[in-house]
Amino acid sequence: MDKIQMKTPLVEMDGDEMTRILWRMIKDELIIPFVDLKTEYYDLGLEHRDETNDKVTMDSALATKKYGVAVKCATITPNQARLKEYNLKKLYKSPNGTIRAALDGTVFRAPILVKGIEPYVRTWKKPIVLARHAHGDVYKDSEMKIEGTFPIKAELAVTDAEGNETRQDIFTFKAPGILEGMYNTDASITSFARSCFEYALDQKMDLWFSTKDTISKVYDGEFKAVFEKMYEEEYKEKFEAAGIEYFYTLIDDAVARVIRSEGGMLWALKNYDGDVMSDMMATAFGSLAMMTSVLVSPDGVYEYEAAHGTVQRHYYKYLRGEETSTNSVATIFAWSGALRKRGEMDELPELIEFADQLEKATIDTIESGKMTGDLALITSLENVTKLNSEDFIKAIAGNLRALRA
Ligand code: NAP
Ligand code: MG
């Protein structure tokens, strides 16, 4: 059988630990036998990041801008323990943070649904995709403990380039307390909104956005206004033509509605709301190992990955020669997502079809009772076979060959 041809290379970002082992197996068993794979390879493994003083991370981000689609393996974000373990020159920043900043992107997290791994919320039938505005707010705030000689008056003060000052009372403390100041920019909120509208159109999903603008009239009110204006001016017609909706509601109302819903929407959230809700969603849908993640820039550049990390504990078992049963589904879906997007951009229907088949073969494998240990623990299926990391991928390869025969 002839291999499927590609036109433009994918940007391939290799990574660390157990996911690096899975990466190789996925390529060898599930991609290369079927696709004449073209990639531009960047090794973001921690050792190579250290050798290049992290230049490789920025290079991979620039290549993603150039080609439009990347697939990324999970990578270590170094901390003090890693600094020692890998004898690093310095504590490098999170690669995901570097890439996100370079692409000015928004991260969308989507669960993979299979029969037998039921969401904890019984009404959910379709994936709920979460978009978190990963910029500013409480993550870049300034905080103070209020102590000293009371009363202590707290004010907001801004000084412009000409030295003009604007002040606003916050509170007069008569006893100890705490104070916090935070910010965001219209440019960042606008990029976030655009990425969300584009993703919703691309996936033909309703877009929900929620803040607390009744309480935070200026701050959250600005978020609401930016989304509303962009929708009215640029997306209303496109959304109507695609048969999808933009819906704004208060965050507390949104939480209640999401729980009662069937799912199937993209839910856009401010930074803190997205932080909290994304962990709740990953758990509520069953498993972090079944959660995919895609970074989308406002100009339509896509970087696909799994939402989980490098699964360090399994890697140490692997190094000791013990058997591992690590779930490769989210990493496989990162590959299928990237190949499908490449297929759409380059008008390669065979590549799109292959991405669909790869996902179907993966889901069929689990639904037939063959799965890794993490899923075997939570499945409602009977007659389950727990497979090791490699045999699970080989079982998928068997189904994939049958689908393509
Ligand atoms: P993790 O790699 O997501 O793993 C945490 C635990 O979740 C694992 O020990 C395992 O539980 C379970 N798990 C996660 N993915 C799994 C999979 N595919 N199959 C089976 N079980 C899975 O998080 P971590 O241990 O906190 O972080 C490890 C490294 O990953 C860190 O250096 C961190 O910096 C990095 N990280 C990278 C990314 C990224 O690149 N996007 C994201 C998060 C973390 P059991 O051990 O109980 O089996
Ligand atoms: Mg969190």
Side-chain angles (χ1 to χ4, degrees):
M1 198 176 58
D2 284 346
K3 287 191 188 183
I4 298 161
Q5 295 298 311
M6 294 178 67
K7 281 185 194 158
T8 317
L10 273 181
V11 175
E12 176 184 353
M13 303 169 175
D14 208 342
D16 288 300
E17 299 194 312
M18 199 58 210
T19 41
R20 188 179 179 100
I21 308 295
L22 298 178
W23 194 258
R24 189 72 251 168
M25 291 178 190
I26 291 167
K27 281 177 69 179
D28 288 347
E29 298 286 336
L30 300 177
I31 315 279
I32 291 169
F34 306 97
V35 178
D36 191 15
L37 184 65
K38 279 200 179 84
T39 74
E40 195 164 293
Y41 179 85
Y42 292 87
D43 183 1
L44 302 197
L46 188 51
E47 277 143 7
H48 192 240
R49 271 184 277 152
D50 195 42
E51 278 162 28
T52 64
N53 299 312
D54 210 24
K55 182 171 175 296
V56 64
T57 307
M58 191 41 94
D59 288 347
S60 73
L62 294 176
T64 306
K65 272 190 173 172
K66 175 175 162 196
Y67 292 112
V69 187
V71 57
K72 180 179 172 292
C73 181
T75 47
I76 293 169
T77 297
N79 54 16
Q80 287 301 335
R82 301 297 200 165
L83 192 77
K84 253 195 226 147
E85 184 186 352
Y86 285 81
N87 195 18
L88 300 176
K89 286 181 253 175
K90 59 179 256 205
L91 265 188
Y92 301 99
K93 285 193 194 142
S94 145
N96 289 55
T98 302
I99 296 164
R100 195 167 59 220
L103 300 181
D104 185 22
T106 297
V107 174
F108 297 86
R109 276 178 147 205
I112 300 155
L113 297 194
V114 296
K115 290 194 199 80
I117 314 291
E118 317 301 346
Y120 286 92
V121 179
R122 274 172 291 143
T123 51
W124 289 353
K125 301 280 183 280
K126 297 182 232 164
I128 296 168
V129 180
L130 220 117
R132 169 180 172 192
H133 179 222
H135 179 266
D137 296 358
V138 64
Y139 302 85
K140 286 275 183 295
D141 70 352
S142 307
E143 306 187 348
M144 251 185 221
K145 252 173 131 60
I146 303 297
E147 48 206 358
T149 315
F150 295 96
I152 294 176
K153 190 177 164 194
E155 289 171 282
L156 278 180
V158 292
T159 314
D160 75 9
E162 286 161 2
N164 304 310
E165 226 182 54
T166 312
R167 284 174 172 266
Q168 193 175 308
D169 284 354
I170 298 175
F171 186 65
T172 301
F173 290 87
K174 298 195 174 69
I178 43 180
L179 185 68
E180 171 185 35
M182 62 188 199
Y183 71 93
N184 228 302
T185 64
D186 284 3
S188 173
I189 301 167
T190 302
S191 292
F192 174 55
R194 187 172 305 288
S195 297
C196 291
F197 284 118
E198 286 294 324
Y199 186 93
L201 266 182
D202 187 64
Q203 298 289 311
K204 303 233 178 327
M205 289 181 124
D206 290 342
L207 170 60
W208 291 23
F209 181 49
S210 50
T211 72
K212 193 72 180 178
D213 71 293
T214 45
I215 300 299
S216 171
K217 291 191 168 62
V218 174
Y219 201 102
D220 282 17
E222 183 72 6
F223 279 83
K224 180 186 179 188
V226 167
F227 269 75
E228 223 158 69
K229 183 161 180 285
M230 189 177 289
Y231 178 65
E232 290 299 329
E233 288 177 0
E234 299 178 54
Y235 288 98
K236 193 163 192 283
E237 280 164 28
K238 291 181 194 165
F239 267 49
E240 282 168 4
I244 54 175
E245 267 190 359
Y246 169 63
F247 175 59
Y248 176 84
T249 188
L250 289 171
I251 176 84
D252 38 359
D253 181 47
V255 170
R257 284 174 188 258
V258 163
I259 295 292
R260 288 196 310 265
S261 78
E262 274 202 344
M265 74 289 280
L266 164 62
W267 188 14
L269 291 158
K270 287 178 58 198
N271 209 348
Y272 177 82
D273 300 339
D275 186 353
V276 176
M277 287 301 155
S278 59
D279 284 6
M280 193 192 74
M281 287 291 166
T283 311
F285 271 107
S287 168
L288 184 57
M290 299 289 281
M291 185 67 79
T292 61
S293 179
V294 54
L295 176 72
V296 182
S297 81
D299 48 350
V301 168
Y302 290 74
E303 182 248 303
Y304 293 84
E305 63 178 310
H308 60 76
T310 60
V311 212
Q312 182 182 19
R313 202 179 65 84
H314 296 209
Y315 181 59
Y316 288 154
K317 275 176 81 176
Y318 170 88
L319 288 181
R320 290 194 298 267
E322 293 168 30
E323 186 163 78
T324 61
S325 181
T326 315
N327 188 334
S328 47
V329 171
T331 308
I332 294 169
F333 273 62
W335 275 97
S336 59
L339 290 169
R340 180 184 295 107
K341 182 52 75 183
R342 202 60 275 168
E344 288 167 6
M345 286 183 176
D346 293 345
E347 294 177 27
L348 299 169
E350 281 189 32
L351 195 58
I352 298 172
E353 188 193 16
F354 174 75
D356 294 343
Q357 289 169 332
L358 176 54
E359 291 180 0
K360 181 167 169 24
T362 306
I363 289 171
D364 287 351
T365 303
I366 300 170
E367 292 182 348
S368 74
K370 294 177 185 168
M371 59 190 79
T372 46
D374 58 315
L375 298 184
L377 279 175
I378 58 172
T379 185
S380 60
L381 294 176
E382 282 160 26
N383 300 323
V384 168
T385 315
K386 178 185 154 181
L387 297 179
N388 67 36
S389 307
E390 191 167 12
D391 288 347
F392 177 63
I393 291 171
K394 288 199 162 138
I396 297 170
N399 280 339
L400 183 57
R401 277 193 296 274
L403 274 177
R404 294 191 58 76

